[in-house]
Amino acid sequence: MAAQTEEIAGLVESVIRPLIDNPDDLVIDARETEDGSIFVEVRVNEEDAGKVIGRQGRVIKVIRTLARAAALPRTPMSTWSCSINGRLGSRSRIHES
């Protein structure tokens, strides 16, 4: 599942990089947790945090939805967690039907 974790990190980066003014400050750390979940930590310049989160969290919710959709074809159950600049954003569990 390491390849899948790298793919999701690449997807998240490709969505976030065009949104921010300071792309050199973008750091994405994606890793598998002990329970098989994928944890993605996004660090951006403080000036860009609002652009990544969006009004009422709309942008980060879309990014989360894209990452979950990318994980589903290969993972029957996946958990997505996202931290932006150290603040835990969203966590959701997806079950394949």
Side-chain angles (χ1 to χ4, degrees):
M1 193 146 95
Q4 180 181 13
T5 302
E6 290 178 25
E7 288 176 11
I8 290 174
L11 172 67
V12 170
E13 180 177 0
S14 68
V15 172
I16 291 176
R17 189 168 291 279
L19 298 176
I20 58 179
D21 293 330
N22 302 291
D24 293 339
D25 294 341
L26 176 63
V27 177
I28 296 177
D29 177 30
R31 62 189 176 276
E32 270 184 70
T33 61
E34 292 177 6
D35 66 354
S37 302
I38 297 173
F39 181 80
V40 178
E41 182 174 6
V42 177
R43 281 172 286 196
V44 295
N45 188 299
E46 282 294 323
E47 296 173 4
D48 293 325
K51 295 174 186 169
V52 175
I53 296 168
R55 286 193 176 132
Q56 297 181 344
R58 289 183 184 137
V59 174
I60 196 62
K61 286 177 188 176
V62 169
I63 295 169
R64 181 187 66 193
T65 301
L66 289 171
R68 288 187 331 191
L72 280 177
R74 286 168 247 131
T75 307
M77 186 172 72
S78 178
T79 300
W80 157 268
S81 296
C82 180
S83 170
I84 297 179
N85 292 351
R87 295 184 293 261
L88 189 60
S90 54
R91 182 174 183 89
S92 59
R93 186 169 291 276
I94 309 102
H95 295 274
E96 188 174 64
S97 341

